[in-house]
Amino acid sequence: MSRKINRLSNKHAKKFLFAQFKTLLPVMFVIYIPVVVLLVIIFFSKIPFEILAADPLSITKSPFYYGAISNIGVLFWCSTASVCFFCFAIFFNKKIKKEFSQFFLFSGSLTSLLLLDDLFLLHEEVFPKYLNVSEKCVAVIYGIIALLYLIKFRKTILKTEFILLILAFIFFGLSLIIDNIGIITYFFKKAHLLISIFKLLGIITWFSYFSRTCIGVINPVLSLLR
C-alpha cells in the first residue's frame, strides 16, 4: 500500500515538475539567450575575459572606497528602474491605471538609459572615443529625450508629488552647470566633490519620487482587493 502511495506521489511530482518546466521555458529563453549571445561576442572579441569578469578594484589594486559615491548612485538608478518596471508589470494590459502603466514603462526606460550611461561612462568614454560622437552631442540628445518625456507625461506628473521630480532636475542641473563652467572648477578646488554630491542628491531624489509615486498608485488598488 505504502509503495503504491509513493509511486503515485512520485508520478504526481514528476507531472508537477514537467508542468512547471514547460511554463518557465519561455522565461528561461528570455533570461539565458542574451547571456549566451553576450558570452559568444566576448569569446570572439580581443578583450581578455579575465578583465571583463573581474572586479575593477581588484584589477587596479585600489582601496575598496574608490568610486563609492558613483557606485551608490548606480545602485539607486537600478532600484528606481526596478520600481518603475515592477509597477508597469502590475498595470500592464489593465484598464485601471493604464495612464500610469505607460508612465512607469517610459520612466523605467529613461532611468535604465541613465543607469547604463553612469555605469559604463557612455557619454564620457564610449560615444566620443569608440563611436566618434561628441560628448556635447550626446548631452543634447539626452536633453531632448528628457524634454519629450516631460511633455508626453506632463498631465500624469501633475497628479503626483512632482516637487520631488523638480528637485531632482535642479540637483542634476547644478551638477551639470558646475561641471561645464570652467571658471568654477578653476577657482574652486572642491568643485568635483560638489558635482558628485549634487548628482547623488539628484539620483536619490529621483528614486524617492518614483518610489512614492509607485506606492501612491498601488495602495488604492490594493485597498479595493481587501
Side-chain angles (χ1 to χ4, degrees):
M1 184 70 177
S2 60
R3 289 182 180 179
K4 188 176 182 180
I5 293 173
N6 287 333
R7 287 176 185 174
L8 290 172
S9 299
N10 291 334
K11 190 176 181 181
H12 179 73
K14 288 178 181 179
K15 284 185 177 180
F16 174 76
L17 290 173
F18 179 76
Q20 190 177 95
F21 179 80
K22 187 178 179 181
T23 303
L24 290 175
L25 193 60
V27 178
M28 288 188 283
F29 270 105
V30 172
I31 294 172
Y32 299 127
I33 285 180
V35 177
V36 172
V37 171
L38 179 62
L39 290 174
V40 171
I41 293 171
I42 292 172
F43 181 79
F44 287 103
S45 70
K46 296 180 180 179
I47 304 172
F49 182 77
E50 293 78 11
I51 294 177
L52 292 171
D55 185 271
L57 296 179
S58 300
I59 296 173
T60 58
K61 306 296 181 183
S62 302
F64 71 93
Y65 51 81
Y66 272 32
I69 293 177
S70 177
N71 289 338
I72 292 170
V74 168
L75 290 174
F76 274 101
W77 281 133
C78 187
S79 299
T80 307
S82 299
V83 167
C84 290
F85 287 131
F86 173 75
C87 284
F88 165 70
I90 288 177
F91 297 115
F92 180 65
N93 278 342
K94 303 288 193 304
K95 291 183 179 179
I96 53 171
K97 304 294 183 181
K98 187 176 181 180
E99 171 189 5
F100 279 95
S101 176
Q102 291 186 349
F103 174 65
F104 283 119
L105 173 62
F106 279 83
S107 300
S109 301
L110 176 59
T111 303
S112 298
L113 174 63
L114 298 172
L115 162 65
L116 293 173
D117 184 273
D118 216 5
L119 184 60
F120 296 109
L121 303 176
L122 297 184
H123 78 279
E124 296 169 314
E125 296 283 337
V126 176
F127 283 106
K129 293 184 179 180
Y130 297 93
L131 301 175
N132 200 26
V133 179
S134 68
E135 187 175 340
K136 290 183 179 179
C137 182
V138 177
V140 169
I141 292 172
Y142 284 1
I144 292 172
I145 292 172
L147 182 61
L148 291 174
Y149 165 80
L150 292 174
I151 292 171
K152 178 177 176 59
F153 294 106
R154 63 190 183 281
K155 293 181 181 179
T156 306
I157 291 170
L158 289 173
K159 297 176 183 178
T160 65
E161 298 173 332
F162 58 87
I163 291 176
L164 283 174
L165 188 62
I166 293 172
L167 284 173
F169 277 107
I170 289 173
F171 286 130
F172 290 142
L174 289 171
S175 177
L176 289 172
I177 289 169
I178 296 172
D179 191 25
N180 287 280
I181 296 179
I183 192 170
I184 297 177
T185 55
Y186 180 80
F187 286 104
F188 189 58
K189 294 181 179 180
K190 298 290 185 180
H192 291 292
L193 179 61
L194 277 179
I195 293 168
S196 298
I197 290 173
F198 281 131
K199 182 179 177 181
L200 182 61
L201 286 172
I203 297 171
I204 292 174
T205 309
W206 185 268
F207 166 76
S208 301
Y209 167 73
F210 284 105
S211 297
R212 290 183 61 82
T213 302
C214 179
I215 292 170
V217 173
I218 288 178
N219 273 342
V221 177
L222 292 178
S223 63
L224 294 174
L225 301 175
R226 292 171 186 169

